[in-house]
Coordinates of all heavy atoms in Angstrom, one line a residue:
M1 N 20.9 7.6 -13.6 CA 20.3 6.4 -14.3 C 19.6 5.5 -13.3 O 20.0 5.3 -12.2 CB 21.4 5.7 -15.0 CG 22.1 6.5 -16.0 SD 22.8 5.8 -17.5 CE 21.6 4.6 -18.1
N2 N 18.5 5.0 -13.8 CA 17.7 4.0 -13.0 C 17.4 2.8 -13.8 O 17.7 2.7 -15.0 CB 16.5 4.7 -12.3 CG 15.6 5.2 -13.3 OD1 15.5 4.8 -14.5 ND2 14.7 6.2 -12.9
W3 N 16.6 1.9 -13.3 CA 16.3 0.7 -14.0 C 15.4 0.9 -15.2 O 15.5 0.2 -16.2 CB 15.6 -0.3 -13.0 CG 14.3 0.1 -12.5 CD1 14.0 0.9 -11.4 CD2 13.0 -0.3 -13.0 NE1 12.7 1.1 -11.2 CE2 12.0 0.3 -12.2 CE3 12.6 -1.0 -14.1 CZ2 10.7 0.2 -12.5 CZ3 11.2 -1.2 -14.3 CH2 10.3 -0.6 -13.5
K4 N 14.6 2.0 -15.2 CA 13.8 2.3 -16.3 C 14.6 2.8 -17.5 O 14.2 2.6 -18.7 CB 12.7 3.3 -15.9 CG 11.7 2.8 -15.0 CD 10.7 3.8 -14.6 CE 9.8 3.4 -13.5 NZ 8.9 4.4 -13.1
S5 N 15.7 3.5 -17.3 CA 16.5 4.0 -18.4 C 17.5 3.0 -18.9 O 18.1 3.2 -19.9 CB 17.2 5.3 -18.0 OG 18.0 5.1 -16.9
D6 N 17.7 1.9 -18.1 CA 18.6 0.8 -18.5 C 17.9 -0.3 -19.3 O 18.6 -1.1 -19.9 CB 19.3 0.2 -17.3 CG 20.3 1.2 -16.7 OD1 20.8 2.1 -17.4 OD2 20.6 1.0 -15.5
L7 N 16.6 -0.4 -19.2 CA 15.9 -1.5 -19.7 C 14.9 -1.1 -20.8 O 14.1 -0.2 -20.7 CB 15.0 -2.1 -18.5 CG 14.4 -3.5 -18.8 CD1 15.4 -4.5 -19.0 CD2 13.6 -3.8 -17.5
Q8 N 15.1 -1.8 -22.0 CA 14.2 -1.5 -23.1 C 13.0 -2.4 -23.0 O 13.0 -3.5 -22.4 CB 14.9 -1.8 -24.4 CG 15.8 -0.7 -24.9 CD 16.3 -1.0 -26.3 OE1 16.4 -2.1 -26.7 NE2 16.6 0.0 -27.1
L9 N 11.9 -1.9 -23.6 CA 10.7 -2.7 -23.6 C 10.9 -4.0 -24.3 O 10.4 -5.0 -23.9 CB 9.5 -1.9 -24.2 CG 8.1 -2.4 -24.2 CD1 7.7 -2.7 -22.7 CD2 7.2 -1.5 -24.9
A10 N 11.7 -4.0 -25.4 CA 12.0 -5.2 -26.1 C 12.8 -6.2 -25.3 O 12.8 -7.4 -25.7 CB 12.7 -4.8 -27.4
D11 N 13.5 -5.8 -24.2 CA 14.2 -6.7 -23.4 C 13.3 -7.6 -22.6 O 13.8 -8.7 -22.1 CB 15.2 -6.0 -22.5 CG 16.3 -5.2 -23.2 OD1 16.6 -5.6 -24.4 OD2 16.8 -4.3 -22.7
L12 N 12.1 -7.2 -22.3 CA 11.2 -8.0 -21.5 C 10.5 -9.1 -22.3 O 10.3 -9.0 -23.5 CB 10.1 -7.0 -21.0 CG 10.5 -5.9 -20.1 CD1 9.3 -5.0 -19.7 CD2 11.2 -6.4 -18.9
D13 N 10.1 -10.1 -21.6 CA 9.3 -11.2 -22.3 C 8.0 -10.6 -22.7 O 7.5 -9.7 -22.0 CB 9.1 -12.4 -21.4 CG 10.3 -13.2 -21.1 OD1 11.2 -13.2 -22.0 OD2 10.4 -13.8 -20.0
A14 N 7.4 -11.1 -23.8 CA 6.1 -10.6 -24.2 C 5.0 -10.7 -23.2 O 4.1 -10.0 -23.2 CB 5.7 -11.3 -25.5
C15 N 5.1 -11.7 -22.3 CA 4.1 -12.0 -21.4 C 4.3 -11.3 -20.0 O 3.5 -11.4 -19.1 CB 3.9 -13.5 -21.1 SG 5.3 -14.3 -20.5
T16 N 5.4 -10.5 -19.9 CA 5.7 -9.7 -18.7 C 4.6 -8.6 -18.5 O 4.3 -7.9 -19.4 CB 7.1 -9.1 -18.8 OG1 8.0 -10.1 -18.9 CG2 7.3 -8.3 -17.5
R17 N 4.0 -8.6 -17.4 CA 2.9 -7.6 -17.1 C 3.5 -6.4 -16.5 O 4.4 -6.4 -15.6 CB 1.9 -8.2 -16.2 CG 1.1 -9.3 -16.8 CD 0.0 -9.9 -15.9 NE -0.7 -8.8 -15.3 CZ -1.7 -9.0 -14.4 NH1 -2.1 -10.2 -14.2 NH2 -2.3 -8.0 -13.8
L18 N 3.0 -5.2 -16.9 CA 3.4 -3.9 -16.4 C 2.2 -3.3 -15.7 O 1.1 -3.3 -16.2 CB 3.9 -3.0 -17.5 CG 5.2 -3.4 -18.2 CD1 5.4 -2.6 -19.5 CD2 6.4 -3.3 -17.3
E19 N 2.5 -2.8 -14.5 CA 1.4 -2.0 -13.8 C 1.5 -0.6 -14.2 O 2.6 0.0 -14.1 CB 1.6 -2.2 -12.3 CG 0.5 -1.5 -11.5 CD 0.7 -1.6 -10.0 OE1 1.5 -0.8 -9.5 OE2 0.2 -2.5 -9.4
I20 N 0.5 0.0 -14.7 CA 0.4 1.4 -15.1 C -0.5 2.2 -14.2 O -1.7 1.9 -14.2 CB 0.0 1.5 -16.6 CG1 0.9 0.7 -17.4 CG2 0.0 3.0 -17.0 CD1 0.4 0.5 -18.9
T21 N 0.0 3.1 -13.4 CA -0.8 3.8 -12.4 C -0.8 5.3 -12.7 O 0.3 5.9 -12.9 CB -0.1 3.6 -11.0 OG1 0.0 2.2 -10.7 CG2 -1.0 4.3 -9.9
C22 N -2.0 5.9 -12.8 CA -2.1 7.3 -13.1 C -1.6 8.1 -11.8 O -2.0 7.8 -10.7 CB -3.5 7.6 -13.4 SG -3.8 9.4 -13.7
R23 N -0.8 9.1 -12.1 CA -0.4 10.0 -11.0 C -1.4 11.0 -10.6 O -1.3 11.6 -9.5 CB 0.9 10.7 -11.4 CG 2.1 9.8 -11.6 CD 3.3 10.5 -12.2 NE 4.3 9.6 -12.5 CZ 5.5 9.6 -11.9 NH1 5.7 10.4 -10.9 NH2 6.4 8.7 -12.3
V24 N -2.5 11.2 -11.4 CA -3.5 12.2 -11.1 C -4.7 11.5 -10.3 O -5.0 11.9 -9.2 CB -3.9 12.9 -12.3 CG1 -5.1 13.9 -12.0 CG2 -2.8 13.6 -13.0
C25 N -5.3 10.5 -11.0 CA -6.5 9.9 -10.4 C -6.3 8.5 -9.8 O -7.2 8.0 -9.3 CB -7.6 9.8 -11.5 SG -7.2 8.6 -12.8
A26 N -5.1 8.0 -9.8 CA -4.7 6.7 -9.2 C -5.3 5.5 -9.9 O -5.4 4.5 -9.3 CB -4.9 6.8 -7.7
L27 N -5.8 5.6 -11.1 CA -6.4 4.5 -11.8 C -5.2 3.5 -12.1 O -4.1 3.9 -12.5 CB -7.0 4.9 -13.1 CG -7.5 3.8 -14.0 CD1 -8.8 3.2 -13.5 CD2 -7.7 4.2 -15.4
V28 N -5.4 2.2 -11.8 CA -4.4 1.2 -12.1 C -4.9 0.3 -13.2 O -6.0 -0.2 -13.1 CB -4.1 0.4 -10.8 CG1 -3.1 -0.7 -11.1 CG2 -3.6 1.3 -9.7
R29 N -4.0 0.1 -14.1 CA -4.3 -0.9 -15.2 C -3.1 -1.7 -15.4 O -2.0 -1.3 -15.1 CB -4.8 -0.2 -16.4 CG -3.8 0.5 -17.2 CD -4.5 1.1 -18.5 NE -3.5 1.5 -19.5 CZ -3.0 2.7 -19.7 NH1 -3.3 3.7 -18.8 NH2 -2.1 2.9 -20.6
Y30 N -3.3 -2.9 -16.0 CA -2.2 -3.8 -16.3 C -2.1 -4.1 -17.8 O -3.1 -4.3 -18.4 CB -2.3 -5.1 -15.6 CG -2.3 -4.9 -14.1 CD1 -3.5 -4.7 -13.4 CD2 -1.1 -4.9 -13.4 CE1 -3.5 -4.5 -12.0 CE2 -1.1 -4.7 -12.0 CZ -2.3 -4.5 -11.3 OH -2.3 -4.3 -10.0
E31 N -0.9 -4.0 -18.4 CA -0.7 -4.4 -19.8 C 0.5 -5.2 -19.9 O 1.4 -5.1 -19.1 CB -0.6 -3.1 -20.6 CG -1.8 -2.3 -20.7 CD -1.8 -1.4 -22.0 OE1 -1.2 -1.8 -23.0 OE2 -2.4 -0.3 -21.9
E32 N 0.5 -6.1 -20.9 CA 1.6 -7.0 -21.2 C 2.6 -6.3 -22.1 O 2.2 -5.4 -22.9 CB 1.1 -8.3 -21.8 CG 0.4 -9.2 -20.8 CD 0.0 -10.5 -21.4 OE1 0.2 -10.7 -22.6 OE2 -0.5 -11.3 -20.7
A33 N 3.8 -6.6 -21.9 CA 4.9 -5.9 -22.7 C 4.7 -6.2 -24.2 O 4.9 -5.3 -25.0 CB 6.3 -6.4 -22.3
G34 N 4.2 -7.4 -24.6 CA 3.9 -7.7 -26.0 C 2.9 -6.8 -26.6 O 3.0 -6.4 -27.8
T35 N 1.9 -6.4 -25.8 CA 0.8 -5.5 -26.3 C 1.4 -4.1 -26.6 O 1.1 -3.5 -27.6 CB -0.3 -5.4 -25.3 OG1 -0.8 -6.6 -24.9 CG2 -1.4 -4.5 -25.8
L36 N 2.3 -3.6 -25.7 CA 2.9 -2.3 -25.9 C 3.9 -2.4 -27.1 O 4.1 -1.4 -27.8 CB 3.6 -1.9 -24.6 CG 2.6 -1.5 -23.5 CD1 3.4 -1.2 -22.2 CD2 1.7 -0.3 -23.8
L37 N 4.6 -3.5 -27.2 CA 5.5 -3.7 -28.3 C 4.9 -3.7 -29.7 O 5.5 -3.4 -30.7 CB 6.3 -5.0 -28.2 CG 7.6 -4.9 -27.3 CD1 8.2 -6.2 -27.1 CD2 8.6 -3.9 -27.9
G38 N 3.6 -3.9 -29.7 CA 2.8 -3.9 -31.0 C 2.7 -2.5 -31.5 O 2.4 -2.3 -32.7
R39 N 2.9 -1.5 -30.7 CA 2.8 -0.1 -31.1 C 4.1 0.3 -31.6 O 5.2 0.1 -31.0 CB 2.4 0.8 -29.9 CG 1.0 0.5 -29.4 CD 0.6 1.1 -28.1 NE 0.7 2.6 -28.2 CZ 0.3 3.4 -27.2 NH1 -0.2 2.9 -26.1 NH2 0.4 4.7 -27.4
A40 N 4.2 0.9 -32.8 CA 5.4 1.2 -33.5 C 6.3 2.1 -32.7 O 7.5 2.0 -32.8 CB 5.1 1.8 -34.9
E41 N 5.7 3.1 -32.0 CA 6.5 4.1 -31.3 C 7.3 3.5 -30.1 O 8.2 4.1 -29.6 CB 5.7 5.3 -30.9 CG 4.6 5.0 -29.8 CD 3.3 4.6 -30.4 OE1 3.2 4.3 -31.6 OE2 2.3 4.8 -29.7
F42 N 6.9 2.3 -29.7 CA 7.5 1.7 -28.5 C 8.5 0.6 -28.9 O 9.1 -0.1 -28.0 CB 6.5 1.2 -27.5 CG 5.7 2.2 -26.9 CD1 4.3 2.0 -26.5 CD2 6.2 3.5 -26.6 CE1 3.6 2.9 -25.9 CE2 5.4 4.4 -26.0 CZ 4.1 4.2 -25.7
R43 N 8.7 0.3 -30.1 CA 9.5 -0.8 -30.6 C 10.9 -0.8 -30.0 O 11.4 -1.8 -29.6 CB 9.5 -0.9 -32.1 CG 10.1 -2.2 -32.6 CD 9.7 -2.5 -34.0 NE 8.3 -2.8 -34.1 CZ 7.5 -2.3 -35.1 NH1 8.1 -1.6 -36.0 NH2 6.3 -2.6 -35.1
Y44 N 11.6 0.3 -30.0 CA 12.9 0.4 -29.5 C 13.0 1.4 -28.3 O 14.1 1.9 -28.0 CB 13.8 0.9 -30.6 CG 13.8 0.0 -31.8 CD1 13.2 0.4 -33.0 CD2 14.4 -1.2 -31.8 CE1 13.1 -0.4 -34.1 CE2 14.4 -2.1 -32.9 CZ 13.8 -1.7 -34.0 OH 13.7 -2.5 -35.1
A45 N 11.9 1.6 -27.6 CA 11.9 2.5 -26.5 C 12.4 1.9 -25.2 O 12.1 0.7 -24.9 CB 10.5 3.1 -26.3
Y46 N 13.0 2.7 -24.4 CA 13.3 2.4 -23.0 C 12.1 2.6 -22.1 O 11.2 3.3 -22.5 CB 14.5 3.2 -22.5 CG 15.8 2.8 -23.1 CD1 16.3 3.4 -24.3 CD2 16.6 1.8 -22.5 CE1 17.5 3.0 -24.8 CE2 17.8 1.5 -23.0 CZ 18.2 2.0 -24.2 OH 19.4 1.7 -24.8
L47 N 12.0 1.9 -21.0 CA 10.8 2.0 -20.1 C 10.5 3.4 -19.7 O 9.4 3.8 -19.5 CB 11.0 1.1 -18.9 CG 10.9 -0.4 -19.3 CD1 11.0 -1.3 -18.1 CD2 9.6 -0.8 -20.0
D48 N 11.6 4.2 -19.4 CA 11.3 5.6 -19.0 C 10.6 6.4 -20.2 O 9.8 7.3 -19.9 CB 12.5 6.3 -18.5 CG 13.7 6.4 -19.5 OD1 13.7 5.7 -20.5 OD2 14.6 7.3 -19.3
E49 N 11.0 6.1 -21.4 CA 10.3 6.8 -22.6 C 8.9 6.3 -22.7 O 8.0 7.1 -23.0 CB 11.1 6.5 -23.8 CG 12.5 7.0 -23.8 CD 13.4 6.5 -25.0 OE1 13.1 5.4 -25.6 OE2 14.4 7.2 -25.3
V50 N 8.7 5.0 -22.5 CA 7.3 4.5 -22.5 C 6.4 5.2 -21.4 O 5.3 5.6 -21.7 CB 7.3 3.0 -22.3 CG1 5.9 2.4 -22.2 CG2 8.0 2.3 -23.5
E51 N 7.0 5.3 -20.2 CA 6.3 6.0 -19.1 C 5.9 7.4 -19.5 O 4.8 7.9 -19.2 CB 7.2 5.9 -17.9 CG 6.5 6.4 -16.7 CD 7.4 6.3 -15.4 OE1 8.5 6.9 -15.5 OE2 7.0 5.6 -14.5
R52 N 6.8 8.1 -20.1 CA 6.6 9.5 -20.5 C 5.5 9.6 -21.6 O 4.7 10.6 -21.6 CB 7.9 10.2 -21.0 CG 8.7 10.9 -20.0 CD 9.7 11.7 -20.6 NE 10.5 11.0 -21.6 CZ 11.7 10.5 -21.4 NH1 12.3 10.7 -20.2 NH2 12.4 9.9 -22.3
H53 N 5.4 8.7 -22.5 CA 4.4 8.8 -23.6 C 3.1 8.2 -23.3 O 2.1 8.6 -23.9 CB 5.0 8.0 -24.8 CG 6.1 8.8 -25.5 ND1 7.4 8.7 -25.1 CD2 6.0 9.7 -26.5 CE1 8.1 9.5 -25.9 NE2 7.3 10.1 -26.7
L54 N 3.0 7.3 -22.3 CA 1.6 6.8 -21.9 C 0.9 7.8 -21.1 O 1.4 8.6 -20.4 CB 1.8 5.5 -21.1 CG 2.2 4.2 -21.9 CD1 2.4 3.1 -20.9 CD2 1.2 3.9 -22.9
K55 N -0.4 7.8 -21.3 CA -1.3 8.6 -20.5 C -2.4 7.8 -19.9 O -2.7 6.6 -20.2 CB -2.0 9.6 -21.5 CG -1.0 10.6 -22.1 CD -0.4 11.5 -21.1 CE 0.6 12.5 -21.7 NZ 1.4 13.2 -20.7
C56 N -3.1 8.3 -18.9 CA -4.2 7.6 -18.2 C -5.3 7.3 -19.2 O -5.6 8.0 -20.1 CB -4.7 8.5 -17.1 SG -6.1 7.8 -16.1
A57 N -5.9 6.1 -19.0 CA -6.9 5.6 -19.8 C -8.3 6.1 -19.4 O -9.3 5.9 -20.2 CB -6.9 4.1 -19.8
R58 N -8.4 6.7 -18.2 CA -9.7 7.1 -17.8 C -10.2 8.3 -18.6 O -9.4 9.2 -18.9 CB -9.7 7.6 -16.3 CG -11.0 8.0 -15.8 CD -11.1 8.2 -14.3 NE -11.2 6.9 -13.7 CZ -10.8 6.7 -12.5 NH1 -10.4 7.6 -11.7 NH2 -11.0 5.5 -12.0
R59 N -11.4 8.3 -19.0 CA -12.0 9.3 -19.9 C -11.9 10.7 -19.2 O -12.3 10.9 -18.1 CB -13.4 9.0 -20.2 CG -14.1 9.9 -21.1 CD -15.5 9.5 -21.4 NE -16.2 10.5 -22.2 CZ -17.4 10.3 -22.6 NH1 -18.1 9.3 -22.2 NH2 -17.9 11.3 -23.3
G60 N -11.2 11.6 -19.9 CA -11.1 13.0 -19.4 C -9.9 13.3 -18.5 O -9.6 14.4 -18.2
C61 N -9.2 12.2 -18.1 CA -8.1 12.4 -17.1 C -6.8 12.8 -17.9 O -6.3 13.8 -17.8 CB -7.9 11.2 -16.3 SG -6.5 11.4 -15.1
R62 N -6.4 11.8 -18.7 CA -5.1 11.9 -19.5 C -3.9 12.4 -18.7 O -3.0 13.1 -19.2 CB -5.4 12.9 -20.7 CG -6.5 12.6 -21.6 CD -6.3 11.3 -22.4 NE -5.3 11.5 -23.3 CZ -4.6 10.5 -23.9 NH1 -4.9 9.3 -23.6 NH2 -3.6 10.7 -24.7
G63 N -3.9 11.9 -17.4 CA -2.7 12.3 -16.6 C -1.5 11.4 -16.9 O -1.6 10.4 -17.6
D64 N -0.4 11.9 -16.4 CA 0.9 11.1 -16.5 C 0.8 9.8 -15.7 O 0.0 9.8 -14.7 CB 2.1 11.9 -16.1 CG 2.3 13.1 -17.0 OD1 2.0 13.0 -18.2 OD2 2.9 14.1 -16.5
V65 N 1.5 8.8 -16.1 CA 1.5 7.5 -15.4 C 2.8 7.1 -14.9 O 3.9 7.7 -15.2 CB 1.0 6.4 -16.4 CG1 -0.5 6.7 -16.8 CG2 1.9 6.2 -17.5
R66 N 2.8 6.1 -14.0 CA 4.0 5.5 -13.4 C 4.0 4.0 -13.8 O 3.0 3.4 -13.6 CB 4.0 5.7 -11.9 CG 5.2 5.1 -11.2 CD 5.1 5.4 -9.7 NE 3.9 5.0 -9.1 CZ 3.0 5.8 -8.5 NH1 3.4 7.1 -8.4 NH2 1.9 5.4 -8.0
L67 N 5.2 3.5 -14.2 CA 5.3 2.1 -14.6 C 5.9 1.3 -13.4 O 6.8 1.8 -12.8 CB 6.2 1.9 -15.8 CG 5.6 2.2 -17.2 CD1 6.6 2.0 -18.2 CD2 4.4 1.4 -17.4
A68 N 5.5 0.1 -13.3 CA 6.1 -0.8 -12.3 C 6.1 -2.2 -12.9 O 5.1 -2.6 -13.6 CB 5.4 -0.8 -11.0
L69 N 7.1 -3.0 -12.7 CA 7.1 -4.4 -13.2 C 6.4 -5.3 -12.2 O 6.4 -5.1 -11.0 CB 8.6 -4.9 -13.3 CG 9.4 -4.3 -14.4 CD1 10.9 -4.8 -14.2 CD2 8.9 -4.7 -15.7
I70 N 5.7 -6.3 -12.8 CA 5.0 -7.3 -12.0 C 5.8 -8.6 -12.1 O 6.1 -9.0 -13.2 CB 3.6 -7.5 -12.5 CG1 2.8 -6.2 -12.6 CG2 2.8 -8.6 -11.7 CD1 2.6 -5.6 -11.2
H71 N 6.2 -9.1 -11.0 CA 7.0 -10.4 -11.0 C 6.4 -11.3 -10.0 O 6.3 -11.0 -8.8 CB 8.4 -10.1 -10.7 CG 9.3 -11.3 -10.7 ND1 9.6 -12.0 -11.8 CD2 9.9 -11.9 -9.7 CE1 10.4 -13.0 -11.5 NE2 10.6 -13.0 -10.2
D72 N 5.9 -12.5 -10.4 CA 5.3 -13.4 -9.5 C 4.2 -12.8 -8.7 O 4.1 -13.0 -7.5 CB 6.4 -14.0 -8.6 CG 7.4 -14.9 -9.3 OD1 7.0 -15.4 -10.4 OD2 8.5 -15.0 -8.8
D73 N 3.4 -12.0 -9.4 CA 2.2 -11.4 -8.8 C 2.6 -10.4 -7.7 O 1.8 -10.1 -6.8 CB 1.2 -12.4 -8.2 CG 0.6 -13.2 -9.3 OD1 0.4 -12.7 -10.4 OD2 0.3 -14.4 -9.1
K74 N 3.8 -9.8 -7.7 CA 4.2 -8.8 -6.8 C 4.7 -7.6 -7.6 O 5.3 -7.7 -8.6 CB 5.4 -9.3 -6.0 CG 5.1 -10.4 -5.1 CD 6.4 -10.8 -4.3 CE 6.3 -12.3 -4.2 NZ 7.6 -12.9 -4.0
T75 N 4.3 -6.4 -7.1 CA 4.7 -5.2 -7.8 C 6.1 -4.8 -7.3 O 6.4 -4.8 -6.1 CB 3.7 -4.1 -7.5 OG1 2.4 -4.5 -7.9 CG2 4.1 -2.8 -8.2
E76 N 7.0 -4.4 -8.3 CA 8.3 -4.0 -7.9 C 8.6 -2.7 -8.5 O 8.6 -2.5 -9.8 CB 9.4 -5.0 -8.5 CG 9.2 -6.4 -7.8 CD 10.3 -7.4 -8.3 OE1 11.3 -6.9 -8.9 OE2 10.1 -8.5 -8.1
G77 N 8.8 -1.7 -7.7 CA 9.1 -0.3 -8.2 C 10.6 -0.1 -8.3 O 11.0 0.7 -9.1
F78 N 11.4 -0.9 -7.6 CA 12.8 -0.7 -7.6 C 13.4 -2.1 -7.7 O 13.1 -3.0 -7.0 CB 13.3 -0.1 -6.3 CG 14.8 0.0 -6.2 CD1 15.5 0.9 -6.9 CD2 15.5 -0.9 -5.4 CE1 16.9 1.0 -6.8 CE2 16.8 -0.8 -5.3 CZ 17.5 0.1 -6.0
V79 N 14.3 -2.3 -8.7 CA 15.0 -3.5 -8.8 C 16.5 -3.3 -8.7 O 17.1 -2.5 -9.5 CB 14.7 -4.2 -10.2 CG1 15.5 -5.5 -10.3 CG2 13.2 -4.4 -10.3
G80 N 17.1 -3.8 -7.7 CA 18.5 -3.6 -7.5 C 18.8 -3.5 -6.0 O 18.1 -3.8 -5.1
G81 N 20.0 -2.9 -5.7 CA 20.4 -2.8 -4.3 C 21.7 -2.0 -4.2 O 22.3 -1.6 -5.2
M82 N 22.1 -1.8 -3.0 CA 23.3 -1.1 -2.8 C 24.4 -2.1 -2.5 O 24.2 -3.1 -1.8 CB 23.2 -0.1 -1.7 CG 22.2 1.0 -2.0 SD 22.0 2.3 -0.8 CE 23.6 3.0 -0.9
A83 N 25.6 -1.8 -3.0 CA 26.7 -2.8 -2.8 C 27.6 -2.3 -1.6 O 27.6 -1.2 -1.2 CB 27.6 -2.8 -4.0

């Protein structure tokens, strides 16, 4: 289990920005959690499910993407630590 499988999209504030990076062409785009929550299929989805269903926005690419949280204008791929 990781932070993406523990956190639902609905748990985030609507203004929380997510960085969406294509694993194929490296296109980076940003979307707010509220925008994604407007889509019916993401209403009760965990972040790992959102990551699996999103595709690259570049025309013709449609590659898989990677999600990262944006906090205070910093990208965070891992939230947590070892005890």
Side-chain angles (χ1 to χ4, degrees):
M1 300 209 43
N2 62 20
W3 66 275
K4 291 179 190 175
S5 61
D6 289 338
L7 192 60
Q8 280 188 330
L9 188 59
D11 293 338
L12 301 175
D13 289 334
C15 61
T16 301
R17 291 180 46 177
L18 295 168
E19 181 183 86
I20 303 169
T21 307
C22 178
R23 294 175 186 249
V24 176
C25 70
L27 175 75
V28 177
R29 73 180 198 264
Y30 298 91
E31 290 203 33
E32 292 185 350
T35 305
L36 293 173
L37 274 173
R39 296 171 59 174
E41 66 267 22
F42 295 148
R43 189 161 295 138
Y44 301 107
Y46 287 88
L47 290 180
D48 61 340
E49 297 169 338
V50 173
E51 185 177 61
R52 268 193 308 259
H53 286 87
L54 286 177
K55 296 294 180 190
C56 181
R58 181 171 283 162
R59 184 177 176 181
C61 179
R62 304 294 294 160
D64 291 332
V65 298
R66 177 179 52 241
L67 283 181
L69 287 175
I70 304 297
H71 179 69
D72 293 333
D73 297 327
K74 296 178 215 158
T75 303
E76 296 182 15
F78 175 77
V79 179
M82 297 186 64

